Amino acid sequence: MQHHRQNPSRYEQASRSVFMSSIVGLSNIIAALVTFFTVPVAYSNSIAFVQRFTSRHYGYGFEDITAVCWWIIVALLIFFGARASISTALVMGGLALAARFL
């Protein structure tokens, strides 16, 4: 039995592959939804501070490029943070279920 656990069968490998690809897909979809709904709120609550900081430390005239760059940064932070959190939670939940029922 020990040898079997070290060398999983093709069926077990395929099952893990399907499970992991499903986790990645589900995490991406949920992270996209979280990003869609939270970026406008996070951006609008932070852009004034970021533009003031930029003008104080880098001079005037960078407000427009700062606004575009800050929107991209906020969107990427939220998306990748949400995806990492969601995929971790889904994998841990799946492992907890597997441990409980197997």
Side-chain angles (χ1 to χ4, degrees):
M1 188 66 157
Q2 185 69 7
H3 184 270
H4 176 69
R5 290 194 186 276
Q6 290 176 350
N7 298 317
S9 70
R10 287 184 185 174
Y11 176 75
E12 289 172 335
Q13 289 175 345
S15 295
R16 284 186 193 140
S17 177
V18 168
F19 175 75
M20 289 309 294
S21 65
S22 297
I23 293 296
V24 169
L26 186 59
S27 297
N28 285 335
I29 291 169
I30 295 171
L33 287 171
V34 168
T35 303
F36 178 79
F37 287 109
T38 58
V39 165
V41 176
Y43 176 81
S44 65
N45 286 320
S46 61
I47 187 60
F49 168 78
V50 172
Q51 285 181 323
R52 276 193 312 272
F53 179 88
T54 303
S55 66
R56 275 190 217 134
H57 296 282
Y58 298 102
Y60 295 101
F62 293 107
E63 290 83 6
D64 292 339
I65 190 70
T66 299
V68 172
C69 290
W70 185 244
W71 188 92
I72 292 169
I73 289 168
V74 168
L76 291 173
L77 282 170
I78 290 173
F79 177 79
F80 287 111
R83 188 172 75 169
S85 301
I86 292 163
S87 61
T88 300
L90 290 172
V91 168
M92 291 300 143
L95 291 174
L97 286 173
R100 176 155 174 94
F101 294 113
L102 294 180

